[in-house]
Amino acid sequence: MRRSIVRMMMMGWIAGCGALLTDAVSASAQVALSTAVQPTELTYPQQRVLTYRLTMTTGDREERLSVAPSPLPFANRLAVTLEGSGTLGYGIHADPGPLSDDCPRHRTSIGAFQYYTVSLPPHSTAVLVSAYRLIAAPWPHADLRVTYSFDSFSPAPSSPITFVGPPDLRSPQPVLNGVSGVRMTLTTRPLSKLGAPAHLRLGDSILIRGRSDPGVRGDRIIVRASRSAGSRRTVTSTIARVRVAANGRFSVRWQPRSRGTYGLYALYHSRRPALSNDSTPCNLPLVVR
């Protein structure tokens, strides 16, 4: 098992040192932390469950932590449990902040992190176990590390948090084998972004460009448009089936025939054993007037 070990001695507030330490709630708090992931190599779809372990070892006093394992892309969280000495309780929910990707289709539990309060006796070791099940083939180079976030807030004022860990404590990255997804990105001219649709007059056209990773040279990408047609009704049309170039890029120019609000997206139907079917994470918005 590969391990990434971080040991910290929280000796009061250390300002301006650039280290991983944060403001300690207790000047004498002492907890050793290490992270691990099982399996260290994942073959999808034969293997779908990843288990992450945060090992916590206390010194000569009881410690209380508030910790949140991050959501994992392409996966649902199955359970969070505590092995060894100590007790596990629920803490606060918190907004994880902006996502690194424009669209969260391949992410779960987007709205909030769940913090867990962990109470540990002196001279003890406990393991916070977080299990996730993959629900889609990960993209190539997908970051499947879990980040542990710590907080100083305690839901029980009579039991304050005594230890706040580093700002970014990450697990090891499992090695990905087997079938992978195909990450596709779209751009348009005029520019369309989530929350900022492109605008066209009826009769004008829009240039849609895309890129695939891996670059599935010679394969075809289906570019589609969905249009809202009243309450709970959507009309979908295929714009083109475009062949992917050697550099993984593809493009098509499209002239909408009807006014309305559209969503532009791409599909990949795999004929390769090592790749799965996939689609762009979100629809790019387009308004035609």
Side-chain angles (χ1 to χ4, degrees), residues 39-54:
T40 57
E41 294 190 21
L42 179 85
T43 302
Y44 184 90
Q46 291 85 348
Q47 296 171 295
R48 293 176 180 263
V49 176
L50 285 165
T51 302
Y52 297 81
R53 301 170 66 87
L54 173 65

Side-chain angles (χ1 to χ4, degrees), residues 48-52 69-77 106-110 113 131-135 143-147 171 173-174:
R48 293 176 180 263
V49 176
L50 285 165
T51 302
Y52 297 81
S70 66
L72 194 68
F74 309 95
N76 286 333
R77 181 181 290 146
H106 291 304
R107 294 172 179 262
T108 55
S109 304
I110 293 304
F113 280 126
Y132 302 79
R133 181 177 178 82
L134 292 171
I135 58 175
D143 188 350
L144 294 184
R145 295 175 295 175
V146 163
T147 299
S171 72
Q173 164 78 6

Side-chain angles (χ1 to χ4, degrees), residues 211-277:
R211 186 171 187 177
S212 66
D213 179 20
V216 286
R217 178 181 181 178
D219 290 6
R220 291 192 180 274
I221 301 292
I222 303 172
V223 181
R224 285 185 175 171
S226 62
R227 178 173 62 87
S228 177
S231 178
R232 300 183 181 180
R233 183 168 174 259
T234 301
V235 176
T236 300
S237 58
T238 296
I239 296 173
R241 290 176 170 85
V242 292
R243 195 174 296 277
V244 180
N247 58 3
R249 297 182 183 274
F250 55 93
S251 65
V252 61
R253 182 172 288 279
W254 179 55
Q255 184 181 60
R257 296 182 179 179
S258 301
R259 293 180 174 88
T261 300
Y262 293 83
L264 308 176
Y265 62 100
L267 299 173
Y268 175 71
H269 292 164
S270 177
R271 295 183 178 180
R272 305 187 185 207
L275 299 176
S276 70
N277 297 339

Side-chain angles (χ1 to χ4, degrees), residues 78-198:
L78 297 177
V80 176
T81 58
L82 188 69
E83 296 178 354
S85 303
T87 59
L88 178 67
Y90 291 100
I92 61 173
H93 285 75
D95 187 337
L99 299 172
S100 59
D101 293 331
D102 288 335
C103 182
R105 183 175 72 83
H106 291 304
R107 294 172 179 262
T108 55
S109 304
I110 293 304
F113 280 126
Q114 171 69 58
Y115 279 87
Y116 297 85
T117 55
V118 182
S119 298
L120 303 173
H123 303 293
S124 66
T125 297
V127 181
L128 187 69
V129 182
S130 306
Y132 302 79
R133 181 177 178 82
L134 292 171
I135 58 175
W139 289 332
H141 318 300
D143 188 350
L144 294 184
R145 295 175 295 175
V146 163
T147 299
Y148 295 92
S149 300
F150 297 85
D151 196 86
S152 61
F153 174 79
S154 172
S158 60
S159 302
I161 301 300
T162 62
F163 176 86
V164 177
D168 290 304
L169 178 59
R170 291 184 174 180
S171 72
Q173 164 78 6
V175 177
L176 299 178
N177 298 314
V179 175
S180 67
V182 176
R183 182 173 187 172
M184 291 173 289
T185 55
L186 291 182
T187 59
T188 64
R189 183 178 296 175
L191 181 65
S192 171
K193 297 191 299 183
L194 294 179

